[in-house]
Amino acid sequence: MDAIYYYLPFLETIRDFFELGGPVLRVIAVVTLFMWMLIIERLLYFRTGHKKLIRLAHNYWDDRTDYSSWKAHQIRTRIISQVSANSERNLALIKTCVALCPLLGLLGTVTGMIEVFEVMAISGSGNPRSMASGVSKATVPTMAGMVAALSGVAMSAFLENKARREREFIADELIIEAA
């Protein structure tokens, strides 16, 4: 029960932030959460599942007796392709989420500015207090979208480099003999 009271101010701060940013901020949060779920899945894959796949590929290749025929070349190409496809899974979706975050931030800017102009049209003046809500709804989602995109860009680049290195590694490991 004491834990609830400990986290209550933190949860109130988050709630206030989401109210300050408007409904677009909730969409940015969902896209960011989805993007990070995919990133964490890829990191866990490289930590566990990828090593198992590499081991299976090596075992399959080492069990062969023929390393120089046309068929051996095709099998090697298929193994490299499978490892590469598994390494690059969901990377395009992560990149899409990265690209979507700043666009959603821009949408938040536009909706916030529309709110500012609505207040100006209704009140007939440029009262700063009445416009403050719209200005915050214009700036907070933009900032949130950019921060989410920056974190996603860094991790996306890391994962792409990791996938490329793993593809090159398996290609170097599966030795083919000249005919």
Side-chain angles (χ1 to χ4, degrees):
M1 190 67 168
D2 291 333
I4 293 173
Y5 293 115
Y6 178 77
Y7 290 111
L8 197 59
F10 177 69
L11 295 174
E12 287 176 357
T13 304
I14 291 174
R15 185 200 66 212
D16 292 344
F17 181 72
F18 277 103
E19 286 177 7
L20 188 65
V24 176
L25 192 57
R26 290 179 187 86
V27 176
I28 292 171
V30 169
V31 170
T32 303
L33 180 66
F34 179 67
M35 176 183 70
W36 273 97
M37 285 173 45
L38 292 172
I39 289 170
I40 291 169
E41 182 273 331
R42 286 287 82 197
L43 291 171
L44 290 174
Y45 167 76
F46 281 120
R47 203 97 152 112
T48 58
H50 187 70
K51 291 177 183 178
K52 182 180 177 185
L53 181 66
I54 293 291
R55 202 170 33 252
L56 287 172
H58 274 288
N59 290 342
Y60 183 74
W61 184 253
D62 292 341
D63 288 345
R64 296 186 48 77
T65 56
D66 174 29
Y67 297 109
S68 60
S69 69
W70 178 86
K71 185 177 178 182
H73 282 269
Q74 298 308 310
I75 289 171
R76 179 180 177 271
T77 302
R78 190 191 86 213
I79 291 171
I80 293 169
S81 177
Q82 286 175 342
V83 168
S84 180
N86 283 333
S87 297
E88 294 172 358
R89 184 181 300 139
N90 292 333
L91 289 183
L93 195 51
I94 292 170
K95 287 174 131 183
T96 302
C97 291
V98 167
L100 197 56
C101 285
L103 294 174
L104 289 170
L106 183 61
L107 178 64
T109 300
V110 171
T111 57
M113 292 311 294
I114 288 172
E115 189 172 311
V116 168
F117 294 138
E118 255 179 45
V119 167
M120 287 173 62
I122 291 171
S123 68
S125 69
N127 183 356
R129 277 188 198 193
S130 59
M131 292 189 307
S133 171
V135 170
S136 69
K137 285 182 184 172
T139 56
V140 170
T142 305
M143 181 240 356
M146 295 305 283
V147 168
L150 285 173
S151 66
V153 163
M155 290 308 296
S156 176
F158 171 78
L159 291 171
E160 280 184 335
N161 285 335
K162 179 79 171 163
R164 180 186 46 79
R165 283 192 313 266
E166 291 298 321
R167 181 179 59 248
E168 291 170 358
F169 172 75
I170 193 69
D172 290 343
E173 292 289 311
L174 301 181
I175 298 169
I176 196 98
E177 296 175 358

